[in-house]
Amino acid sequence: MLIRETPSWALPEREATPEPLYLNRRAVVAGLVAAGALPAAAGTDPGRLARIPARRTRDAGEPPTPLADVAGYNNFYEFGLDKSDPARNAGTLRPSPWTVRIGGLVRKPLTLDVDRYIAKAPFEERIYRFRCVEGWSMVIPWVGVPFASLVRAVEPLGSAKYVAFRTLADPVQMPGLRSPVLDWPYREGLRLDEAMHDLTLLTVGVYGRRLPNQNGAPIRLVVPWKYGFKSVKSVVAIDFVETQPQTSWNMATPREYGFYSNVNPEVDHPRWSQARERRIGEFRRRETLMFNGYPEVASLYAGMDLRRFF
Amino acid sequence: MRVLLKPSAHAVMAIPLALLLFGWAELLFWNPASRALSAEPVAYTHNALGLAALRALVASLAVTPVRLLTGWGRVMTLRRLLGLWAFAYAAMHLLFYLLAELDWSLGALLAETAKRPFILAGMVAGIALLPLAATSTGAAIRRLGAKRWQALHRLAYLAGIAACVHFILRVKGFQWEPWLYLGLLLALFALRLAPRAGLRLRPS
């Protein structure tokens, strides 16, 4: 007998609300938010977003980067190329309601209703270092759950070796899609064991509240030992696959951005050194740490030539 | 009107520098939370100086085409002024790079130049501007002779192209902005060559 245990935050077909109804509900909620009666589920002003209760389980040992910078200095090319563009332009993103389709080589594919998930799942606050491939870095208190918990819920088949992630690509919500800078939609991927590592965080919040739109609302990945572009934002689809998936920056410039893209001070970007980084708020650069200071992931790459698999 | 042309050009050229100086003063002296220079003031300053250099260089290379197109002779008095601003911004761009990224190490600058094509392109642009700035006086023109001086100053084209290549190679992925500057430069060159090809740019 097949017993199908559906997690409480999975969206059953029968509950999919007809669009006119939820659009109407959204108008009512938006009215309450505007009147200040409800904290916002979405927006670019981080101070107005709804809080998410979370228990701190990991500290970075140094003070977090101010929220103004975390939510004001972003690479999110779907909203423009300048780092101040996303905070200015991402107001058009509608991260609530939002669903993520999780499928591919899994026993129990599911559609995740993010609002429901945020209401139910037990979240952790983890303060991680965040290192951009461009040479700057931040320290960020994320709110999320280990991605492994989601992997276990869908039960990947033995043939699943990689996980492919896809960001929303809606030209109505994302003015930056007009730019040919990348082949949209934005795609990222991890090896299954990387995705299952306890550090890999399925993230719904920052600084104790829901993610601001410019930070990848409503749900994103955070992979702290890899360059920031691997931490894919505003995810709409997750697929378990057999072969290494295509990833956007690797497709754009394969010589410069590898599939792995682990933070590695010894492997330079062809155009600049990765040996040092500038922490936002500091003038002088500091040394970049191997795996961004997360040596516990080294065993994932035992025996691999990290210059070749950069 | 007559007397104001050069001072106005100086004022316009000084705007990026004034904004940067004001931004740093604000950050250092009375408002450490200021984001006027973005969250990464060092990178912002570096990029702003480079962009100001490129814009001034394009402006100086536009002077002759503007005269050819409009017949407005007095615009020629701006050519040296704009070129010197381009050199000044390029020099500040390089010095700021040495200060903020390389700890004043000329060895590191040489190593980076040898290793990275985009740095090499930037250095070519900067070095090409150096003899132009050094021979920008009337005395230098007399000493060199107008013909040789003019030949030397064709290096400005090289500097412009090299600066665009530096910019194109620097950005992530494909971006239009540096290509727009390159397109503008090529259009300006074409306008200069038009009279030689026997084309009339304005009715006479």
Side-chain angles (χ1 to χ4, degrees):
Chain A
M1 189 176 101
L2 176 73
I3 299 176
R4 217 189 124 118
E5 265 182 82
T6 310
S8 61
W9 30 262
L11 185 69
E13 285 299 321
R14 70 185 135 75
E15 284 197 23
T17 313
E19 184 167 80
L21 282 183
Y22 85 61
L23 287 176
N24 181 32
R25 187 168 69 200
R26 194 197 291 158
V28 173
V29 173
L32 287 169
V33 169
L38 273 181
T44 54
D45 176 1
R48 298 194 52 196
L49 293 168
R51 290 183 186 280
I52 303 176
R55 187 172 52 95
R56 181 173 298 179
T57 55
R58 190 172 183 115
D59 210 331
E62 53 184 319
T65 303
L67 177 57
D69 295 328
V70 173
Y73 198 66
N74 311 94
N75 277 321
F76 197 171
Y77 282 6
E78 284 84 340
F79 296 101
L81 301 177
D82 194 90
K83 277 183 268 294
S84 59
D85 286 342
R88 203 171 30 238
N89 300 337
T92 48
L93 183 70
R94 299 191 305 268
S96 173
W98 187 284
T99 54
V100 186
R101 194 190 49 70
I102 305 158
L105 302 171
V106 297
R107 232 163 252 122
K108 298 178 174 174
L110 64 86
T111 299
L112 189 150
D113 177 314
V114 175
D115 287 340
R116 197 179 286 223
Y117 189 60
I118 289 175
K120 292 255 171 77
F123 288 105
E124 298 177 34
E125 178 174 71
R126 295 188 179 186
I127 307 185
Y128 281 159
R129 287 176 289 280
F130 183 93
R131 168 64 155 82
C132 179
V133 72
E134 296 168 348
W136 53 268
S137 61
M138 296 185 181
V139 179
I140 305 177
W142 300 110
V143 176
V145 295
F147 182 72
S149 65
L150 189 66
V151 176
R152 280 191 289 271
V154 297
E155 298 182 18
L157 303 173
S159 52
K161 297 285 185 286
Y162 293 87
V163 190
F165 300 85
R166 189 153 52 77
T167 295
L168 178 75
D170 176 359
V172 177
Q173 298 181 59
M174 299 171 145
L177 297 186
R178 282 194 297 263
S179 159
V181 63
L182 289 170
D183 185 1
W184 312 111
Y186 191 81
R187 277 155 279 190
E188 257 310 334
L190 294 173
R191 226 169 50 193
L192 184 58
D193 58 343
E194 297 177 317
M196 293 283 288
H197 194 279
D198 182 62
L199 283 172
T200 303
L201 198 68
L202 183 65
T203 302
V204 295
V206 68
Y207 266 98
R209 294 172 187 270
R210 286 181 66 125
L211 287 168
N213 292 354
Q214 61 271 33
N215 291 85
I219 193 159
R220 64 174 295 174
L221 207 65
V222 174
V223 194
W225 72 93
K226 291 176 180 283
Y227 293 118
F229 66 88
K230 295 293 292 183
S231 293
V232 50
K233 298 191 180 98
S234 303
V235 173
V236 290
I238 302 174
D239 275 292
F240 290 74
V241 295
E242 190 161 4
T243 53
Q244 185 177 303
Q246 285 198 306
T247 56
S248 290
W249 277 107
N250 182 250
M251 290 158 73
T253 328
R255 223 170 54 80
E256 300 189 340
Y257 308 101
F259 174 78
Y260 286 93
S261 288
N262 293 318
V263 176
N264 187 338
E266 286 155 29
V267 178
D268 279 358
H269 184 281
R271 288 182 283 148
W272 56 85
S273 165
Q274 295 291 26
R276 298 191 303 153
E277 68 200 51
R278 184 173 293 107
R279 185 78 92 236
I280 295 302
E282 295 177 357
F283 184 82
R284 297 185 69 85
R285 286 181 181 262
R286 53 164 79 197
E287 302 290 317
T288 286
L289 305 171
M290 187 65 202
F291 297 122
N292 204 21
Y294 298 99
E296 58 265 52
V297 299
S299 59
L300 292 172
Y301 310 103
M304 278 175 71
D305 176 359
L306 294 180
R307 287 188 178 279
R308 194 169 153 227
F309 298 101
F310 60 95
Chain B
M1 242 355 258
R2 239 161 200 282
V3 277
L4 282 180
L5 187 59
K6 277 184 152 191
S8 316
H10 275 300
V12 169
M13 286 292 114
I15 288 171
L17 182 60
L19 290 176
L20 286 172
L21 290 173
F22 183 82
W24 277 102
E26 183 184 12
L27 203 57
L28 294 174
F29 300 123
W30 70 88
N31 182 12
S34 163
R35 297 292 180 278
L37 303 180
S38 89
E40 211 183 348
V42 173
Y44 182 93
T45 304
H46 194 178
N47 292 336
L49 290 170
L51 197 59
L54 179 59
R55 286 177 177 164
L57 186 57
V58 170
S60 74
L61 287 168
V63 166
T64 301
V66 164
R67 182 182 55 94
L68 290 172
L69 277 174
T70 65
W72 180 33
R74 266 192 4 101
V75 71
M76 295 304 283
T77 61
L78 297 181
R79 192 170 63 170
R80 173 168 65 189
L81 178 160
L82 295 170
L84 284 173
W85 272 105
F87 174 74
Y89 276 117
M92 287 187 274
H93 181 60
L94 175 63
L95 289 173
F96 192 78
Y97 175 55
L98 272 168
L99 159 74
E101 307 294 344
L102 303 176
D103 292 332
W104 297 113
S105 161
L106 289 176
L109 179 64
L110 286 176
E112 288 291 299
T113 305
K115 203 166 163 185
R116 308 192 198 284
F118 96 94
I119 301 279
L120 178 64
M123 292 300 287
V124 166
I127 289 169
L129 289 178
L130 191 61
L132 309 194
T135 59
S136 63
T137 58
I141 298 175
R142 282 191 294 279
R143 202 165 54 243
L144 282 169
K147 252 208 160 86
R148 277 196 295 166
W149 184 90
Q150 189 142 38
L152 176 68
H153 279 245
R154 295 219 169 92
L155 278 174
Y157 305 124
L158 174 69
I161 299 288
C164 286
V165 171
H166 174 63
F167 194 3
I168 288 166
L169 292 178
R170 180 65 184 83
V171 297
K172 267 166 69 190
F174 176 82
Q175 299 189 19
W176 283 111
E177 191 186 2
W179 290 95
L180 291 179
Y181 285 99
L182 183 62
L184 194 56
L185 273 181
L186 294 176
L188 292 172
F189 296 163
L191 282 173
R192 269 166 205 265
L193 294 176
R196 292 194 198 181
L199 293 171
R200 270 205 208 132
L201 293 173
R202 60 195 161 92
S204 49

